[in-house]
């Protein structure tokens, strides 16, 4: 009998013997059943992260079940186990969960409370857990969590009204950053207030909002860094290499790595300690500022993350595979880089209706299948391996010119 601890890698080694059996069902199912492992993986959401998770799940012999609004969504296109629905509608989430063995999500901004109830009713586990989702989807408790573990982040204040906006200005000085507490992505919901005129303008149009805001001190960073960490239900842990990420108009344009920082090791240890203390399960993206001598966390994203897309081609095992293993409770093993340098370049839409490209040489091309090509929308990405991070990035900037989107 194959034992649980040996995991998927052992499973792969066992495939041949299972293929000898004359069952009229795919061997992936047989092996998963023999292992008593969950194999129907539910994914809440249908965007590109869900698509890449679903594609990887197929490769691993799992059934990716996707819940999203439209059959044209990127993830809906790549699985026959698609259900139409909204993860924010309690009954729809519940019905979906009751048809899978374990579930995950591609966005942390779903209603954590109703998902928690759906988990309780169906007894189908969701990872990262809804209580973790609730803490990390709101920038205020997220900052408090970082404070509790003594992890540096930029000073912050709550802003609910104009009086608090004024105090933020007085306390933090200019420039400062105003962010929506929830639902921010790709820079939407983040406003950098550079000077007095911008502040006056903001003050005049400022409206109180149910979601609320935080104000952050502006960090004069030298560069932005990012890190993917993954923790499995079996408590094994993987930390991918530190990478540099570059944002244009507050939106990630490229990532290159590996990057170095003198304080990285103790910083990473504190992050790991925090994740272990909250019994985190799944992948987490950690965005950081490097001010030269210091590292500060900008934000945490409790899911697979854009800054980890390079792992698809540059690492021995990618973030999607390890995230799926982590929610199944499989051991994560070790990962290693496949080249001394690597880079990822986002293919951002420009609103041109007909994307056109020739597939560049020596570059890995990933397309998300989005129907609408909107300005700045993430349509796909390129990965490249090279002898140095800079060379990998140079190849990608050259390749990018061959693609019209
Ligand atoms: N306190 C700060 N000081 C300086 N720059 C900042 C600060 N906060 C955010 N920024 C800049 O704005 C960018 C977007 O901010 P943030 O990551 O918080 O928003 P987001 O909408 O979640 O973005 P994304 O989805 O791309 O991660 C950051 O990558 C950084 O370039
Ligand atoms: Mg960010």
């Amino acid at each position: 009998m194959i034992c649980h601890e040996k995991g998927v890698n052992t499973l792969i080694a066992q495939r041949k013997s299972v293929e000898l059996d004359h069952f009229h069902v795919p061997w992936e199912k047989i092996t998963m059943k023999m292992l008593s492992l969950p194999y129907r993986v539910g994914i809440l959401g249908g965007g590109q992260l869900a698509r890449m998770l679903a594609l990887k799940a197929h490769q691993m012999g799992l059934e990716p079940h996707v819940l999203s609004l439209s059959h044209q969504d990127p993830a809906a296109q790549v699985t026959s186990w698609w259900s139409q629905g909204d993860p924010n509608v309690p009954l729809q989430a519940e019905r979906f969960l009751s048809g899978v063995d374990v579930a995950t999500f591609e966005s942390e901004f779903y209603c954590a409370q109703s998902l928690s109830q759906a988990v309780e009713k169906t007894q189908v586990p969701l990872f990262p857990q809804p209580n973790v989702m609730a803490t990390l989807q709101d920038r205020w408790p997220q900052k408090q969590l970082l404070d509790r573990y003594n992890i540096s982040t930029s000073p912050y204040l709550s802003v609910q009204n104009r009086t608090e906006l004024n105090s933020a200005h007085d306390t933090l000085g200019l420039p400062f950053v105003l962010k929506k507490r929830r639902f921010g992505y790709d820079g939407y919901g983040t406003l950098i207030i550079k000077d007095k005129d911008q502040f006056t303008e903001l003050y005049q149009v400022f409206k109180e909002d149910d979601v609320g805001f935080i104000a952050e001190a502006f960090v004069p960073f030298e560069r932005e860094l990012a890190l993917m960490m993954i923790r499995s239900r079996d408590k094994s842990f993987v930390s991918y290499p530190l990478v540099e990420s570059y944002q244009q108009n507050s939106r990630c344009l490229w990532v290159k790595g590996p990057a170095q920082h003198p304080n990285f090791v103790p910083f990473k240890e504190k992050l790991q300690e925090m994740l272990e203390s909250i019994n985190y399960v799944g992948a987490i993206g950690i965005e950081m500022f490097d001010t030269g001598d210091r590292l500060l966390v900008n934000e945490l994203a409790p899911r697979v993350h854009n800054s980890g897309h390079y792992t698809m081609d540059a690492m021995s095992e990618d973030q999607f595979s390890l995230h799926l293993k982590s929610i199944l409770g499989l051991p994560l093993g070790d990962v290693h880089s496949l080249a001394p340098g690597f880079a990822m370049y986002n293919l951002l839409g420009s609103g041109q209706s007909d994307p056109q490209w020739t597939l560049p040489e020596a570059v890995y091309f990933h397309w998300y299948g989005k129907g609408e090509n909107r300005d700045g929308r993430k349509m796909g990405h390129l990965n490249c391996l090279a002898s140095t991070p800079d060379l990998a990035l140079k190849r990608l900037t050259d390749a990018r010119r061959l693609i019209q989107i």
Side-chain angles (χ1 to χ4, degrees), residues 152-334:
S152 307
T153 172
S154 56
Y156 60 102
L157 291 166
S158 170
V159 172
Q160 305 299 336
N161 50 47
R162 282 191 178 163
T163 315
E164 288 179 353
L165 184 63
N166 247 335
S167 333
H169 169 266
D170 295 344
T171 313
L172 302 172
L174 286 168
F176 76 91
V177 186
L178 189 71
K179 295 182 180 182
K180 272 198 164 187
R181 275 174 55 165
R182 281 185 288 148
F183 308 120
Y185 74 100
D186 288 352
Y188 299 113
T190 291
L191 189 65
I192 302 179
I193 302 126
K194 297 196 181 91
D195 52 35
K196 190 83 204 151
D197 287 349
Q198 277 186 357
F199 179 74
T200 312
E201 209 178 304
L202 170 70
Y203 188 83
Q204 279 160 2
V205 298
F206 183 84
K207 278 203 194 99
E208 289 177 27
D209 181 311
D210 283 351
V211 176
F213 298 87
I214 62 165
E216 280 182 17
F218 181 85
V219 178
F221 58 83
E222 286 181 3
R223 57 183 181 158
E224 289 184 78
L225 298 170
L227 175 66
M228 286 308 304
M229 287 178 149
I230 319 224
R231 184 168 179 269
S232 171
R233 281 164 78 177
D234 84 343
K235 301 186 173 30
S236 57
F237 196 88
V238 158
S239 179
Y240 279 111
L242 183 67
V243 295
E244 178 175 350
S245 74
Y246 175 75
Q247 276 49 238
Q248 195 176 59
N249 302 324
S250 294
R251 186 170 303 140
C252 178
L253 185 63
W254 55 254
V255 162
K256 67 174 179 178
Q260 278 80 34
H261 192 280
N263 296 333
F264 177 54
V265 173
F267 201 75
K268 186 170 80 169
E269 282 169 0
K270 275 207 261 182
L271 287 163
Q272 182 169 348
E273 187 195 319
M274 177 186 80
L275 296 174
E276 279 165 357
S277 303
I278 62 172
N279 195 21
Y280 189 86
V281 172
I284 184 164
I286 297 147
E287 298 178 15
M288 288 168 277
F289 297 126
D290 171 13
T291 61
D293 54 342
R294 289 182 73 202
L295 286 174
L296 293 94
V297 167
N298 170 27
E299 62 172 349
L300 306 171
R303 52 176 163 77
V304 285
H305 193 258
N306 191 177
S307 69
H309 290 354
Y310 73 88
T311 62
M312 295 171 87
D313 301 298
M315 301 298 297
S316 53
E317 194 160 359
D318 72 28
Q319 60 166 341
F320 302 99
S321 170
L322 288 191
H323 179 71
L324 290 166
K325 282 187 173 181
S326 74
I327 67 169
L328 292 168
L330 293 172
L332 300 181
D334 293 320

Side-chain angles (χ1 to χ4, degrees), residues 326-396:
S326 74
I327 67 169
L328 292 168
L330 293 172
L332 300 181
D334 293 320
V335 288
H336 58 268
S337 310
L338 300 177
F342 51 81
M344 185 282 311
Y345 204 100
N346 272 333
L347 297 172
L348 303 176
S350 65
Q352 189 170 314
S353 55
D354 248 347
Q356 286 178 10
W357 61 81
T358 45
L359 290 181
E361 276 173 36
V363 159
Y364 298 95
F365 181 85
H366 300 270
W367 189 248
Y368 305 150
K370 293 183 182 174
E372 202 187 335
N373 177 12
R374 287 200 299 269
D375 203 18
R377 193 175 198 203
K378 288 174 182 164
M379 303 296 288
H381 70 270
L382 304 175
N383 282 340
C384 181
L385 310 183
S387 53
T388 66
D390 283 333
L391 190 57
L393 182 60
K394 162 86 174 65
R395 289 208 185 126
L396 290 185

Side-chain angles (χ1 to χ4, degrees), residues 64-71 73 75-76 79-85:
H65 291 241
V66 168
L67 179 68
S68 78
L69 293 174
S70 161
H71 71 282
D73 286 336
T79 186
S80 45
W81 295 285
W82 169 76
S83 308
Q84 187 180 31

